[in-house]
Amino acid sequence: MNTPAPTPASPGDWTLELLRADHAPALLDFERRNRAYFARTVPDRGDAYFARFADRHRALLAEQDTGLCRFHVLITREGDLAGRVNLLDIEDGSAELGYRIGEDAAGRGLATAAVAEICRVAQTTYGLTRLIAVTTLDNPGSMAVLRRNGFTQVEPLTVDGRPGIRHERPLTPAN
């Protein structure tokens, strides 16, 4: 009898790690492998992102050191980088949430679990009280992840020329 492999969202199958310098090779590989997949629902990063990746990675780490952002990667039990979850523009107890889950890990609950974990970390570790997230309307999967994690739709907006929506979630002990 074949037993299905546990999904990446199962406890112990992945960890959320704060971005470090030694994540650079795996992160670049992740972004390259998933470029076309991501471009279906979010604006493409462009060729310059890949050509200047090392400089960009160092800049992100320097920005993280200021406390204005917190960049995280999702590492599977096998040591593979399966996604990233970021808190951007941290100010006055609030931050913007951004996340990407690779195509190989999509559809197995990893995004929902990772967003739940970053909400917990944002409150308990970083002392945040509110998260904001933006999605395009043609990304129903991301909107579902946010809805499952207690985000509410706040207002319509435009994201790189595409219709989108802004979501918010207060971070309180009851959440």
Side-chain angles (χ1 to χ4, degrees):
M1 177 177 187
N2 289 336
T3 304
T7 66
S10 298
D13 282 351
W14 57 272
T15 58
L16 183 71
E17 297 181 6
L18 192 62
L19 186 66
R20 304 184 309 259
D22 64 323
H23 287 130
L27 185 55
L28 177 58
D29 179 61
F30 168 82
E31 291 289 349
R32 282 183 175 149
R33 281 185 292 110
N34 289 287
R35 184 176 184 180
Y37 173 68
F38 292 143
R40 290 184 223 149
T41 54
V42 294
D44 184 60
R45 293 189 185 277
D47 293 339
Y49 173 86
F50 297 95
R52 298 186 46 86
F53 183 84
D55 293 336
R56 173 83 174 127
H57 192 74
R58 282 190 293 277
L60 290 177
L61 292 173
E63 186 177 12
Q64 182 168 266
D65 287 344
T66 71
L68 295 176
C69 297
R70 297 287 182 213
F71 305 103
H72 303 83
V73 291
L74 297 165
I75 306 295
T76 67
R77 184 180 354 173
E78 294 79 22
D80 298 322
L81 197 150
R84 50 192 313 181
V85 183
N86 302 319
L87 298 173
L88 309 168
D89 302 326
I90 298 171
E91 185 177 20
D92 297 328
S94 182
E96 183 172 333
L97 168 67
Y99 53 93
R100 291 175 172 235
I101 304 301
E103 187 171 21
D104 291 346
R108 294 188 264 164
L110 181 57
T112 298
V115 169
E117 178 64 5
I118 201 65
C119 288
R120 186 192 67 74
V121 169
Q123 180 187 2
T124 61
T125 303
Y126 304 136
L128 300 179
T129 57
R130 180 176 68 124
L131 293 181
I132 299 161
V134 173
T135 62
T136 56
L137 295 181
D138 60 354
N139 192 347
S142 189
M143 288 192 290
V145 166
L146 294 172
R147 188 176 53 254
R148 286 185 207 117
N149 277 288
F151 283 79
T152 57
Q153 295 182 353
V154 176
E155 66 182 337
L157 47 75
T158 301
V159 181
D160 289 326
R162 296 158 69 178
I165 191 136
R166 182 171 163 247
H167 303 76
E168 288 187 9
R169 176 182 167 181
L171 301 174
T172 62
N175 286 341

